[in-house]
Amino acid sequence: MGLHTNLIVTTNRRAYALLLVSRASDPLLRVGFTYPPSIRQTFDAVQLQGQRAREREASLKAAVAKLDFAYRVNGDRRLQPVRVFNDGTHTYVQMPVELRELPVLFAVESDGSDALVNYRVTAEHAYVIDGVPERLALVDGNGKRRRRTEIVRLEAAR
């Protein structure tokens, strides 16, 4: 009782230095070791995270490369957008945040008539239009007070 000694256990992963003390009660019959993820598993996980980050970056670069800003804007200056671009699937028309009310957006048909187009407006005062129309019109008011701005896609104008 009360004897002290030490024990060094060497495994294929670590070395353990133990202090052993004898007691009459509560005998300890065996000791087990559990290992957190190995260095190799940790390295593989970090490598996988890096690969995913590189893939996301490449995907983002490809998406940015597809953006088309080739648009011409004509008409009432008060209705002119800040920027217009498309990603091949949607067209984005960002309006100045100073505008209290956004104008109505139409697609302009080949005969010059206005046609309804599917779009939604974001909190950033931007129209997100389904598709890539050749011409768009922003219209505000009616009659003599009607204001109009047209947006023409330059790729389509060629």
Side-chain angles (χ1 to χ4, degrees):
M1 308 280 169
L3 299 175
H4 292 76
T5 189
N6 66 342
L7 173 67
I8 296 176
V9 178
T10 306
T11 69
N12 63 345
R13 296 184 185 189
R14 292 182 180 78
Y16 298 91
L18 305 172
L19 176 62
L20 304 173
V21 179
S22 66
R23 295 192 307 204
S25 63
D26 220 13
L28 182 63
L29 301 177
R30 70 183 181 116
V31 175
F33 299 96
T34 58
Y35 296 100
S38 71
I39 293 173
R40 181 67 185 171
Q41 288 172 323
T42 304
F43 178 77
D44 290 344
V46 168
Q47 194 173 25
L48 182 61
Q49 287 175 346
Q51 180 181 352
R52 287 182 181 158
R54 286 188 296 277
E55 288 170 358
R56 281 192 303 270
E57 184 178 339
S59 174
L60 183 59
K61 283 181 181 179
V64 168
K66 285 184 2 181
L67 295 181
D68 176 13
F69 288 88
Y71 285 87
R72 183 180 68 235
V73 179
N74 296 318
D76 192 304
R77 287 203 173 280
R78 294 171 289 186
L79 296 181
Q80 289 191 354
V82 175
R83 74 182 46 87
V84 181
F85 62 95
N86 75 70
D87 61 7
T89 305
H90 296 93
T91 303
Y92 303 87
V93 178
Q94 185 181 6
M95 300 300 290
V97 293
E98 298 82 33
L99 280 179
R100 290 186 184 150
E101 293 184 23
L102 291 175
V104 178
L105 179 77
F106 293 104
V108 180
E109 298 289 335
S110 57
D111 64 358
S113 64
D114 292 341
L116 295 175
V117 64
N118 282 334
Y119 68 86
R120 59 197 163 283
V121 178
T122 68
E124 294 81 24
H125 265 58
Y127 297 95
V128 179
I129 303 146
D130 295 337
V132 183
E134 295 179 14
R135 291 172 57 198
L136 296 166
L138 295 164
V139 179
D140 188 36
N142 57 17
K144 291 183 180 182
R145 294 185 178 184
R146 182 177 174 151
R147 297 183 294 169
R148 181 181 181 95
T149 293
E150 285 204 13
I151 302 166
V152 179
R153 184 169 169 237
L154 296 179
E155 310 303 309
R158 290 180 192 164

